[in-house]
Amino acid sequence: MATAHKSLPLPVLPAGWSAEKNFKAIGTLSAATQRNIEPVGPHFLAHARRKRHHRTFSEDERIQAQETVKKVEDDDSAEISEPEDPLMLQRDAKDWKGQDHYAVLGLSKYRYRATEDQIKRAHRKKVLRHHPDKKAAAGNTEDDSFFKCIQKATEVLLDPVRRRQFDSVDEHADVEPPSKKQAQKGGYFKLWSHVFASEGRFSKNQPVPRLGDEKSSKEEVEHFYNFWYNFDSWRSFEYQDEDVPDDNENRDQKRHVERKNNNARKKKKTEDTARLRSLVDECLAGDDRIKKFRTEEKAKKNKNKLEKEAMEKKAKEEAEKAKVEADKVAKEKEEVEKVEKAEGKKAKEAAKNAAKKNKRVLKSSVKDANYLQEGGDPSPAQIDGVLNDVDLVMGKIDNEELAALAAKLNGKKSPAEVKAAWAEEVSRLVDGGKLKEGEAKTMT
């Protein structure tokens, strides 16, 4: 690009200017500096383009506008381009409620998923193609009906409230459930996933749980069906309302239409809820995972039942075994006690017999010793006294002492020896505190 050189002198002083009286210069001007200035910017480029192609301002603007349109169409052709239905191009703009707004803007494949930016770009593309001025310039009739359809579609879809109302009744976004024949061919969960993905757009609670596949856990499957059986939908049907008259004169008619619209909305809401529940019932009925979970649950219950019965049987057998062992031990103990009792009884009888024998020995000892009388026959009083003292002493000693005394008296016949043995025993009893001094007079 060529460089332009231009000298810029100092400005001329205005007429009548006079310096201040006390003005004093404190320095000198610096030397001039030469700089290269290059013209740049969109206006210079437009000027250069017009000079190069020998165009006027109007010619250049028209050509640039055409190139801009072509560029916009090329940029959006891959994303928001679809064939236009000839019947759609002939739609009456007054019937805007019956038109498919997404199809009008070429967004049929996006529908409720279309972003605001996509809607704006689609609108720009359609306007550039169907603007009445462009049709008039091309020699076509100035029919702006479809252009009005485009404007109305954009107006509805860029308004969040009105777009939600339209999306509520947009049947083109619905996915039909698979038939039994289709489901039997395979891909059951994939086919139904598309259905619930479409219905999930109406959920107030996001994200919507996925249907999953054959490997989904029981908790995930139960969560999915619980979510859909308790589905909280924002779907409404205001878009299909009958138009309410705007005139203030016919208020009764206006209220009548409003009541009619409210009743129609409630009815449609009820029907939609029943439709969705029937849809979930149909999916649940063909879900093999539910059958698998029920089979596993039944097997688990049977296993627990068998384990419980086995434990009860084992506990019962152990109880019976313990009872048998206890009965055996009790019987053995009873037999031992019986034997011990018999032996004790036998020993007691033997001890009793031995005591009786020893007592007889003791009584016989005084009888054989002439009732302790030296020479002559003892008097009755002597006999009674000796026998009483014998009974007294025998009452104070136990069987062992009785046996010991009988052993001492065994073989003694003389009154002196017998009396000495008895006297020794009496003395022992007196020392032990069992008898009082002088209590057995005949023995001392």
Side-chain angles (χ1 to χ4, degrees):
M1 182 180 293
T3 303
H5 296 276
K6 188 173 183 180
S7 299
L8 298 175
L10 293 174
V12 179
L13 294 174
W17 180 85
S18 62
E20 297 180 4
K21 295 179 180 180
N22 299 326
F23 175 77
K24 292 181 181 181
I26 59 174
T28 59
L29 294 175
S30 62
T33 303
Q34 290 187 351
R35 296 183 181 277
N36 295 330
I37 300 176
E38 297 180 0
V40 294
H43 295 291
F44 170 74
L45 294 176
H47 170 74
R49 185 175 59 249
R50 289 193 297 271
K51 290 294 183 181
R52 180 181 179 186
H53 298 289
H54 306 288
R55 297 174 184 168
T56 62
F57 275 92
S58 59
E59 290 176 342
D60 188 65
E61 288 179 355
R62 179 175 56 79
I63 293 174
Q64 286 299 112
Q66 292 175 352
E67 291 180 355
T68 301
V69 171
K70 188 175 184 306
K71 182 179 180 183
V72 170
E73 292 180 350
D74 292 341
D75 291 343
D76 294 339
S77 61
E79 184 178 0
I80 52 176
S81 179
E82 60 186 33
E84 294 179 335
D85 186 358
L87 294 177
M88 181 180 64
L89 298 177
Q90 300 174 7
R91 287 195 63 87
D92 185 359
K94 294 180 181 179
D95 187 24
W96 63 270
K97 267 197 171 184
Q99 73 181 19
D100 183 354
H101 298 312
Y102 291 111
V104 168
L105 294 180
L107 297 171
S108 298
K109 65 179 179 180
Y110 293 101
R111 311 205 77 82
Y112 64 90
R113 294 186 296 271
T115 64
E116 183 178 344
D117 180 65
Q118 287 176 323
I119 294 172
K120 290 180 179 179
R121 287 192 287 119
H123 170 254
R124 181 177 55 186
K125 178 182 176 181
K126 291 292 183 178
V127 167
L128 291 173
R129 182 180 298 176
H130 296 284
H131 197 282
D133 294 343
K134 184 177 180 181
K135 289 185 176 180
N140 296 333
T141 59
E142 296 185 5
D143 183 10
D144 62 349
S145 180
F146 186 67
F147 180 76
K148 291 179 180 179
C149 292
I150 295 171
Q151 297 298 96
K152 199 64 182 180
T154 307
E155 178 186 338
V156 171
L157 297 182
L158 288 181
D159 184 335
V161 176
R162 299 178 68 185
R163 181 181 181 185
R164 173 170 278 205
Q165 292 175 356
F166 175 72
D167 287 341
S168 293
V169 297
D170 184 11
E171 297 180 353
H172 298 287
D174 295 338
V175 178
E176 291 296 324
S179 63
K180 292 184 179 180
K181 188 175 182 180
Q182 290 175 328
Q184 290 174 355
K185 289 182 179 179
Y188 182 87
F189 299 108
K190 185 177 181 180
L191 292 172
W192 276 102
S193 293
H194 297 315
V195 177
F196 287 107
S198 174
E199 296 293 338
R201 70 186 189 274
F202 300 122
S203 176
K204 291 182 180 179
N205 302 316
Q206 297 289 342
V208 177
R210 297 180 179 274
L211 177 60
D213 52 23
E214 298 86 351
K215 298 179 181 179
S216 298
S217 64
K218 181 181 179 182
E219 291 74 17
E220 292 172 340
V221 175
E222 289 179 347
H223 174 63
F224 173 81
Y225 284 109
N226 288 337
F227 177 88
W228 283 99
Y229 276 120
N230 299 281
F231 190 73
D232 191 5
S233 173
W234 56 259
R235 191 176 191 181
S236 60
F237 298 90
E238 295 94 339
Y239 193 82
Q240 296 175 340
D241 285 353
E242 181 181 339
D243 291 336
V244 179
D246 295 332
D247 57 309
N248 295 327
E249 297 179 0
N250 199 353
R251 296 183 179 179
D252 293 338
Q253 177 65 15
K254 183 178 180 180
R255 284 193 291 268
H256 171 71
V257 173
E258 289 177 347
R259 286 196 298 269
K260 186 178 178 181
N261 287 336
N262 286 332
N263 293 334
R265 291 178 202 167
K266 292 179 181 178
K267 182 180 179 181
K268 291 174 182 177
K269 185 73 173 178
T270 303
E271 291 174 351
D272 184 65
T273 302
R275 177 195 64 83
L276 181 60
R277 190 172 186 87
S278 175
L279 207 66
V280 179
D281 289 340
E282 184 179 351
C283 180
L284 179 66
D287 195 338
D288 292 335
R289 298 174 302 181
I290 303 299
K291 301 175 184 177
K292 182 183 73 173
F293 294 147
R294 288 174 180 171
T295 303
E296 292 175 353
E297 187 69 21
K298 186 176 180 180
K300 185 178 179 181
K301 287 183 179 179
N302 291 336
K303 182 181 178 181
N304 293 338
K305 183 179 179 181
L306 293 174
E307 290 178 352
K308 184 178 179 181
E309 291 177 353
M311 291 177 64
E312 291 177 351
K313 183 178 180 181
K314 183 178 180 181
K316 186 177 180 180
E317 291 176 351
E318 290 178 352
E320 291 178 354
K321 184 178 180 180
K323 184 179 179 181
V324 171
E325 291 292 331
D327 292 343
K328 182 179 179 182
V329 171
K331 187 175 181 180
E332 291 176 353
K333 184 178 180 182
E334 184 180 356
E335 290 177 355
V336 170
E337 290 177 351
K338 188 175 181 181
V339 171
E340 290 178 350
K341 185 176 181 180
E343 291 179 352
K345 184 177 181 181
K346 186 176 180 181
K348 188 175 181 181
E349 289 292 333
K352 185 177 180 181
N353 294 332
K356 287 180 179 179
K357 182 179 179 181
N358 290 329
K359 286 179 180 180
R360 286 196 299 269
V361 170
L362 295 182
K363 288 180 178 181
S364 297
S365 66
V366 296
K367 181 180 179 181
D368 294 342
N370 199 26
Y371 296 103
L372 306 181
Q373 179 67 35
E374 294 285 348
D377 294 329
S379 63
Q382 175 71 15
I383 295 172
D384 289 340
V386 170
L387 293 176
N388 288 336
D389 289 341
V390 169
D391 292 335
L392 178 63
V393 171
M394 287 192 301
K396 301 294 183 179
I397 60 179
D398 56 22
N399 291 337
E400 291 181 358
E401 292 173 335
L402 191 65
L405 180 58
K408 290 180 180 179
L409 293 172
N410 189 25
K412 292 182 170 51
K413 299 294 185 180
S414 64
E417 292 177 342
V418 172
K419 187 176 182 179
W422 279 101
E424 184 180 354
E425 185 64 21
V426 169
S427 177
R428 187 182 69 79
L429 292 175
V430 171
D431 293 339
K434 293 182 178 182
L435 285 178
K436 295 181 179 179
E437 187 71 30
E439 191 173 359
K441 297 179 180 179
T442 62
M443 302 295 183
T444 58

